[in-house]
Amino acid sequence: MNPEPHAASDRRRLRGGAPIQIGLLGCGTVGGGVLRLLAENSGYLAERAGVPLVVKRVVVRDLEKERVGALDRGLLTTNPEEVVDDPAIDVVVEVMGGETPARALIERAIDRGKGVVTANKLLLAAHGPALLARASARQVDLAFEGAVGGGIPIIRTLRDAFASDWVERVTAILNGTCNYILTRMRDTGASFDAALREAQALGYAEADPSLDVDGHDAAHKLIVLAMLAFGAQVDSADVHTSGIRSIEEADHRYADRFGYTIKHLAIGRDLGDSIELRVHPTLIPKQSVLANVSGVLNAVLLEGRAVGPSLVYGRGAGDLPTAVSVVSDILDVARSIASGVAGMQSRGMSIKPRAVRPLGEIVSRYYLRFAVEDRPGVMGRLAGALGDAGVSIEQIVQQGPTGSGAAPAGGAAARQPAVDVVLITHDAREGLVRNALDAIAREQFLREPVHLFRIEEP
């Protein structure tokens, strides 16, 4: 259906002091929190918006499912068209998640001149720039604070507080599941599997935790942050993404010995001609502010050219923290409509395709852990392979045995026991480090694949 170019201006002109009517797409964990906050804080929100905020329709898949007490079940429908096509509804709130049908419904709502609030990081990572351009062209608001960091006001911080500065770097803990697991591994010596089971039992991890522990959730959020921090439109395939499954108790122990702790970080840098965007486990100094962000908490460290470092920190997930961000967006959009200035949050964002620097070209220090046979000459061959590739060593320790030296099955002679050799490199280009590791992988003394983690100094 063709857009209605004058719908937003007509709504502003005719509404007077009438309530802002809200349609909710989805009523799961976050949607239930939104309804609860709208009900509990209705008087306060009406004062802030200048008009009452009224929920008119709530779209769900199952009409019989138990919902939050704040929901009037007479508002329920399974038909999203009753929200996006209702001319009386001013603001559409999408908390259903996924790309389909959320994208089509949001586009339809925008085309009908409605303000849109979404917490859908996957959709924004894939289609955010196009949706923002669409909203700007229709002069309506598209707000998405709840998409990144739960209750942390990081979108507002980038969009408004840093509007007069140039963001040079973003370093963030964006996934509470990963942060909880790494905290328990570090503090208790638990294995990854044991810490994951604990997180699942407490409701911090899904039955299928892949989206979180493999890094994809954090990568989606980093792409959204990059839109605002660097004005960047990027493809998710260009963002190097790795998770935390390969981290072992020994890595936490060695990191501590060198003065570091392991965190799963989302890192972005503006390099001028390109940007860096990567998500991976990282060693950071124990005295850094991010090292002390523990459990399910999230944090985003911004570095502006003028203001310097600035930290935003808090609960990054859950029904009420995320709902706080969503309701704050509803309030902003409602206030804009009631004041006749709808569309302000979608204007002025210049988002363009930007090149993402290949991983092989980044420069970092590295933690490398090798499980090798305990025999003369191994240390020299490791150092030699790195040196031949142009990678210099800052620190090196040998610790053993690792327990990997059992005799092969079938009565073959026992091999030498395995020991850990752990190296910290000086700054090196990743491509050179990978060349050295390719050469080392061909050595017979290597018992296991190398453990590689980058080192940052946030």
Side-chain angles (χ1 to χ4, degrees):
M1 188 177 292
N2 291 329
E4 301 174 20
H6 302 297
S9 58
D10 288 346
R11 182 173 289 107
R12 292 195 296 266
R13 186 167 56 246
L14 298 175
R15 69 168 307 102
I20 297 292
Q21 303 279 353
I22 298 167
L24 192 64
L25 301 175
C27 190
T29 300
V30 175
V34 169
L35 289 171
R36 177 178 165 186
L37 289 177
L38 286 172
E40 292 179 354
N41 301 330
S42 59
Y44 169 73
L45 292 170
E47 290 178 1
R48 296 292 300 273
V51 293
L53 308 182
V54 178
V55 177
K56 189 172 189 291
R57 262 293 180 254
V58 179
V59 178
V60 296
R61 291 189 179 92
D62 182 359
L63 293 174
E64 304 303 321
K65 184 177 178 180
E66 190 69 24
R67 306 288 174 180
V68 294
L71 172 66
D72 175 358
R73 300 190 70 85
L75 303 179
L76 291 177
T77 178
T78 58
N79 183 6
E81 293 180 0
E82 293 186 28
V83 169
V84 297
D85 291 340
D86 185 346
I89 288 179
D90 303 287
V91 182
V92 173
V93 181
E94 185 274 309
V95 286
M96 61 201 311
E99 288 191 62
T100 306
R103 178 187 179 187
L105 293 172
I106 288 175
E107 290 176 341
R108 195 159 162 175
I110 290 171
D111 289 346
R112 280 151 182 74
K114 303 178 189 298
V116 174
V117 173
T118 180
N120 194 331
K121 57 186 173 288
L122 173 62
L123 179 65
L124 290 165
H127 306 289
L131 290 173
L132 282 166
R134 196 183 196 107
S136 180
R138 305 307 192 274
Q139 297 183 44
V140 296
D141 289 300
L142 173 62
F144 47 93
E145 184 67 69
V148 180
I152 300 173
I154 184 58
I155 300 300
R156 280 177 176 77
T157 300
L158 285 168
R159 186 190 64 214
D160 300 330
F162 273 73
S164 62
D165 201 358
W166 190 278
V167 179
E168 296 184 322
R169 179 172 172 175
V170 176
T171 310
I173 296 169
L174 294 176
N175 186 271
T177 300
C178 285
N179 203 39
Y180 179 84
I181 290 171
L182 292 177
T183 299
R184 297 300 293 167
M185 291 179 71
R186 180 196 66 194
D187 292 350
T188 70
S191 67
F192 167 81
D193 290 335
L196 172 59
R197 287 193 297 270
E198 182 180 324
Q200 289 170 323
L202 292 170
Y204 298 150
E206 302 289 342
D208 180 0
S210 301
L211 188 66
D212 294 317
V213 301
D214 292 335
H216 303 296
D217 173 79
H220 294 151
K221 295 172 182 175
L222 180 61
I223 292 171
V224 175
L225 293 182
M227 287 195 306
L228 296 163
F230 310 129
Q233 176 183 346
V234 300
D235 191 306
S236 59
D238 293 332
V239 181
H240 170 77
T241 304
S242 58
I244 63 172
R245 293 182 192 267
S246 65
I247 300 173
E248 298 178 356
E249 183 275 333
D251 296 308
H252 286 280
R253 181 161 29 91
Y254 290 121
D256 181 73
R257 177 170 179 170
F258 286 115
Y260 297 102
T261 191
I262 302 175
K263 291 293 183 182
H264 191 249
L265 294 187
I267 298 168
R269 288 194 182 97
D270 193 333
L271 305 171
D273 61 338
S274 62
I275 57 174
E276 275 185 23
L277 293 177
R278 45 194 171 97
V279 174
H280 50 68
T282 312
L283 272 66
I284 59 176
K286 288 192 288 186
Q287 69 271 20
S288 76
V289 291
L290 291 179
N292 297 299
V293 177
S294 299
V296 295
L297 295 174
N298 284 192
V300 182
L301 180 62
L302 304 174
E303 293 185 33
R305 183 175 297 171
V307 78
S310 182
L311 180 71
V312 187
Y313 165 88
R315 292 176 63 188
D319 56 348
L320 290 182
T322 304
V324 165
S325 291
V326 172
V327 174
S328 294
D329 277 344
I330 294 172
L331 177 60
D332 283 348
V333 174
R335 187 188 291 119
S336 296
I337 294 172
S339 302
V341 290
M344 294 298 291
Q345 295 185 69
S346 303
R347 298 177 196 170
M349 294 187 188
S350 178
I351 302 173
K352 301 175 182 178
R354 296 195 64 182
V356 178
R357 180 161 294 187
L359 191 66
E361 295 181 12
I362 73 163
V363 174
S364 178
R365 294 165 63 228
Y366 294 85
Y367 161 102
L368 305 172
R369 178 166 68 88
F370 304 91
V372 300
E373 291 182 6
D374 186 15
R375 55 185 172 87
V378 169
M379 191 88 76
R381 289 164 72 178
L382 288 174
L386 289 164
D388 290 344
V391 180
S392 63
I393 298 170
E394 179 184 294
Q395 300 182 64
I396 184 168
V397 299
Q398 177 175 318
Q399 182 81 32
T402 68
S404 300
R415 298 167 67 185
Q416 292 293 323
V419 297
D420 280 335
V421 175
V422 184
L423 306 172
I424 301 292
T425 75
H426 288 289
D427 280 338
R429 187 162 58 84
E430 178 135 344
L432 301 180
V433 175
R434 295 291 181 180
N435 290 342
L437 297 183
D438 288 343
I440 292 169
R442 296 190 288 270
E443 295 281 3
Q444 294 299 311
F445 59 71
L446 189 68
R447 292 290 188 84
E448 300 172 3
V450 65
H451 288 243
L452 176 151
F453 302 113
R454 296 161 197 90
I455 299 172
E456 295 287 331
E457 305 275 344

